[in-house]
Amino acid sequence: MKPGLRDPDVNTLFQACCSIAKVIAKRLPPDQLLSLLLTMLEGLADPDRNCSRAATVMINSLLKERGAVLLEKVPEILAVVHAKLQEVDQEHVWKAAQQAVYILASQHRVVVVSSLLNSPLPLDSCTCALWRALAPDPTLASQVLELLLEKINRDVPYKENKSFLRGSTSERVATFLPLSATCALHELMSVPESGPAVVGLYAELFVTLLLRVSCTVGVQLPKGLLSKERKTLGRGQPPRTLDPCSSAVETLKAMLIQGGSGTVAKAVADAGGWELLRSMERHHEGVALLAR
């Protein structure tokens, strides 16, 4: 390996780094694993691209060889990855971070999904990128979609908040986890490679999302989220806004497109059906239009 480290050729140096990373990943003492991994994650933001690339190699090797023992540290690792994405707006760093999350999810998908679901809403561009990292692998994507469907179906879509003023009507406020899971589904299904997984769960996704749309018409965001309309970080995108019903409609639309029903989605759009689905007065017309 020593000659490879002295070689000025980038590809030769990369192969040498791969070999060293595999050796370290196999022989590193358990009590030093997390410390080295977090240090390498910091290295993703190194201004020298070769150093950043070497850190990527080490991270991937550590996670592939030893990631199975990091179950309890997954939330901490994801937080560091997210922080690095906020600091650096370089494509190779974002791809490296997505690869790290993909490897973690292939080993600890339940914890990764639960951790990402606790991300603040509206989702910033960094969190969106981490969700999308779980989409290209059909097997993992199917498993993640099933977990998200379970989150949506397990909890009530909203809670009634009654005012103390006599004669006032109650307000329906969205519950957090189903809303977060709906946003996550949209990110996953915005990736073209998610198509096979979506097709495999077409019926379950369609029924759940159509019910989600119907249950969120006129539903408000929790007051805590209303005060947190934040600007996205890292990609220069405009501020993200969030509406429970609109997010469900957009997710249903993405599901139809990735599930092979793009012509249906277009026909509904041409007839104004997506707007009808959002309307409290004409929601039933939108559902009828979708059923044709």
Side-chain angles (χ1 to χ4, degrees):
M1 289 186 283
K2 289 183 179 179
L5 293 175
R6 299 191 186 99
D7 197 307
D9 180 71
V10 173
N11 290 325
T12 303
L13 183 61
F14 177 74
Q15 291 301 322
C17 288
C18 288
S19 299
I20 293 172
K22 289 178 181 177
V23 173
I24 294 176
K26 289 181 179 179
R27 299 189 177 277
L28 187 72
D31 60 333
Q32 298 177 22
L33 176 59
L34 181 63
S35 176
L36 178 59
L37 181 60
L38 294 179
T39 300
M40 290 298 102
L41 287 170
E42 291 292 331
L44 287 177
D46 195 293
D48 187 318
R49 184 160 182 169
N50 286 332
C51 292
S52 176
R53 196 177 181 191
T56 300
V57 172
M58 182 64 73
I59 291 167
N60 289 345
S61 293
L62 288 172
L63 291 178
K64 287 177 181 177
E65 293 289 338
R66 308 285 289 278
V69 303
L70 292 170
L71 176 63
E72 295 181 358
K73 301 299 181 180
V74 167
E76 181 179 355
I77 294 169
L78 290 176
V80 173
V81 171
H82 184 272
K84 290 300 105 183
L85 293 184
Q86 290 181 311
E87 293 176 14
V88 183
D89 188 23
Q90 297 180 27
E91 193 67 30
H92 72 281
V93 175
W94 281 58
K95 288 182 177 179
Q98 288 180 310
Q99 177 67 12
V101 172
Y102 164 74
I103 297 171
L104 268 180
S106 66
Q107 299 164 330
H108 309 294
R109 64 179 179 277
V110 174
V111 180
V112 168
V113 168
S114 295
S115 297
L116 291 178
L117 281 175
N118 285 321
S119 301
L121 295 175
L123 297 178
D124 62 23
S125 58
C126 303
T127 307
C128 290
L130 299 186
W131 276 120
R132 291 194 294 270
L134 311 183
D137 182 287
T139 301
L140 178 61
S142 294
Q143 294 167 338
V144 173
L145 289 176
E146 287 177 341
L147 287 172
L148 294 174
L149 286 173
E150 181 183 347
K151 296 293 184 182
I152 292 175
N153 291 324
R154 178 183 294 179
D155 201 357
V156 294
Y158 60 83
K159 292 183 178 179
E160 298 274 358
N161 282 354
K162 295 184 178 180
S163 171
F164 289 106
L165 297 176
R166 182 174 296 179
S168 62
T169 58
S170 61
E171 182 182 55
R172 295 187 300 170
V173 178
T175 48
F176 181 81
L177 270 182
L179 179 59
S180 181
T182 302
C183 295
L185 280 174
H186 182 267
E187 292 306 319
L188 275 141
M189 294 189 295
S190 68
V191 179
E193 292 87 347
S194 68
V198 174
V199 170
L201 292 166
Y202 189 100
E204 295 92 329
L205 285 164
F206 181 79
V207 171
T208 295
L209 290 173
L210 183 56
L211 287 174
R212 175 73 185 169
V213 171
S214 297
C215 289
T216 54
V217 175
V219 171
Q220 305 298 313
L221 282 178
K223 285 185 172 59
L225 291 183
L226 282 171
S227 64
K228 293 181 181 178
E229 292 291 344
R230 306 173 307 155
K231 292 184 178 181
T232 55
L233 302 173
R235 290 276 164 149
Q237 296 177 359
R240 286 177 179 264
T241 57
L242 183 62
D243 172 73
C245 186
S246 292
S247 69
V249 168
E250 292 303 314
T251 305
L252 176 59
K253 190 189 305 183
M255 175 261 152
L256 290 173
I257 293 171
Q258 296 299 341
S261 299
T263 55
V264 174
K266 185 178 184 304
V268 173
D270 291 343
W274 299 120
E275 289 73 23
L276 292 174
L277 284 170
R278 295 182 177 93
S279 169
M280 291 187 69
E281 294 77 17
R282 304 183 65 186
H283 173 75
H284 63 283
E285 295 179 37
V287 174
L289 184 61
L290 184 60
R292 290 177 186 172

